[in-house]
């Protein structure tokens, strides 16, 4: 068959692995399911994951399933467990017998888009003061993570495969989402990270829904709302110097 360029995640339920490497060996019919789901840190091929799922129970239209269309909340959960875990989302819409997408499916998809857009609309880090414990140089400074330019990035020195970056706000804000993006043109590197917040000098660990391992092109971390005036991201381990292009919080 043709040479593969993407990796089927291994299920049709709408979720990718909490650890998701774009690296993998070339996929064959004998490939272990764990490789499909999680990728492989030392894989020789670049095979980003694709999450396939239908907005209905199956891939074809049945009138009896009009009451079983995935809800806005279910679709949002799928988004965070696919796109939010460094995967590509392929959402299927079964075409109704009149040749159109059913109004219920359409309405739920629009509501899904509106809710995700609303939840990720107010980036509180845009005007924050940024500081990192290591910088490769002024061209790769910590501020590059909030400059809105996907072609710039914060990088650490060759002998520094980890790092800490903090964002200090002018006043307390409530946060429940953090998005991190690596400069993916230089590969996927982060192997483990965690988040902390501070409020009036008192620090606390942020406990997310997911385990925090890989980042990749995009990782969106969800957690119960917390109030903070400082956010700290600790990158504990990386496959080389960090290359972080963007960090946002909502």
């Amino acid at each position: 068959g043709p040479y593969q360029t993407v990796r089927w995640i291994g299920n049709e339920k709408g979720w990718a692995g909490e650890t998701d490497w774009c690296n993998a060996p070339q996929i064959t019919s004998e490939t272990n399911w764990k490789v499909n789901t999680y990728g492989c840190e030392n894989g020789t091929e670049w095979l980003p994951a694709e999450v396939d799922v239908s907005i209905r129970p199956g891939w074809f239209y049945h009138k009896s399933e009009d009451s079983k269309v995935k809800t806005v909340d279910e679709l949002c959960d799928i988004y965070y467990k696919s796109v939010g875990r460094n995967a590509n989302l392929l959402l299927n819409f079964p075409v109704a017998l009149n040749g159109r997408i059913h109004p219920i499916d359409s309405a739920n998809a629009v509501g899904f888009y509106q809710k995700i857009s609303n939840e990720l609309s107010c980036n509180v880090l845009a005007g924050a003061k940024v500081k990192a414990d290591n910088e490769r140089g002024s061209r790769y400074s910590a501020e590059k993570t909030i400059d809105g330019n996907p072609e710039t990035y914060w990088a650490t020195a060759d002998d520094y495969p980890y790092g800490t970056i903090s964002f200090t706000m002018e006043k307390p804000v409530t946060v429940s989402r953090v998005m991190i993006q690596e400069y993916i043109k230089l590969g996927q590197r982060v192997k483990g990270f965690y988040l902390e917040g501070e409020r009036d000098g008192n620090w606390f660990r942020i406990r997310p829904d997911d385990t925090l391992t890989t980042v990749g092109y995009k990782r969106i971390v969800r957690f119960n709302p917390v109030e903070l005036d400082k956010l700290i991201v600790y990158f504990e381990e990386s496959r080389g110097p960090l290359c972080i292009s963007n960090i946002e919080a909502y």
Side-chain angles (χ1 to χ4, degrees), residues 192-210:
F193 69 102
Y194 66 94
L195 307 171
E196 284 185 359
E198 279 191 22
R199 177 74 169 88
D200 297 330
N202 299 311
W203 70 270
F204 54 90
R205 186 77 169 255
I206 294 174
R207 305 290 181 183
D209 296 341
D210 283 357

Side-chain angles (χ1 to χ4, degrees), residues 2-10 20-28 31 35-36 39 45-52 86-90:
Y3 192 76
Q4 283 189 258
T5 56
V6 296
R7 185 182 88 248
W8 176 52
I9 206 68
D20 182 12
W21 291 101
C22 292
N23 305 70
Q26 183 54 218
I27 305 298
T28 71
T31 299
V35 172
N36 282 326
E45 309 295 328
W46 187 256
L47 296 171
E50 179 180 281
V51 170
D52 306 332
N86 187 41
N88 302 283
L89 173 60
L90 190 161

Side-chain angles (χ1 to χ4, degrees), residues 31 40 57 61-62 75 106 129 134-135 156 186 192 207 215 217:
T31 299
C40 181
Y61 177 82
H62 301 283
L75 291 169
S106 178
K129 292 182 179 179
N134 184 281
E135 293 177 338
T156 55
L186 294 178
R207 305 290 181 183
V215 173
Y217 171 71

Side-chain angles (χ1 to χ4, degrees), residues 12-76:
E12 295 179 350
K13 298 179 181 178
W15 58 267
E18 294 182 22
T19 294
D20 182 12
W21 291 101
C22 292
N23 305 70
Q26 183 54 218
I27 305 298
T28 71
S29 59
E30 305 299 320
T31 299
N32 186 294
W33 68 269
K34 289 185 178 180
V35 172
N36 282 326
T37 305
Y38 304 111
C40 181
E41 177 186 340
N42 298 311
T44 56
E45 309 295 328
W46 187 256
L47 296 171
E50 179 180 281
V51 170
D52 306 332
V53 64
S54 181
I55 198 169
R56 287 173 172 254
W59 294 82
F60 298 96
Y61 177 82
H62 301 283
K63 183 176 177 58
S64 61
E65 293 179 349
D66 285 353
S67 63
K68 299 179 181 179
V69 178
K70 289 181 175 63
T71 65
V72 169
D73 286 345
E74 287 172 331
L75 291 169
C76 288

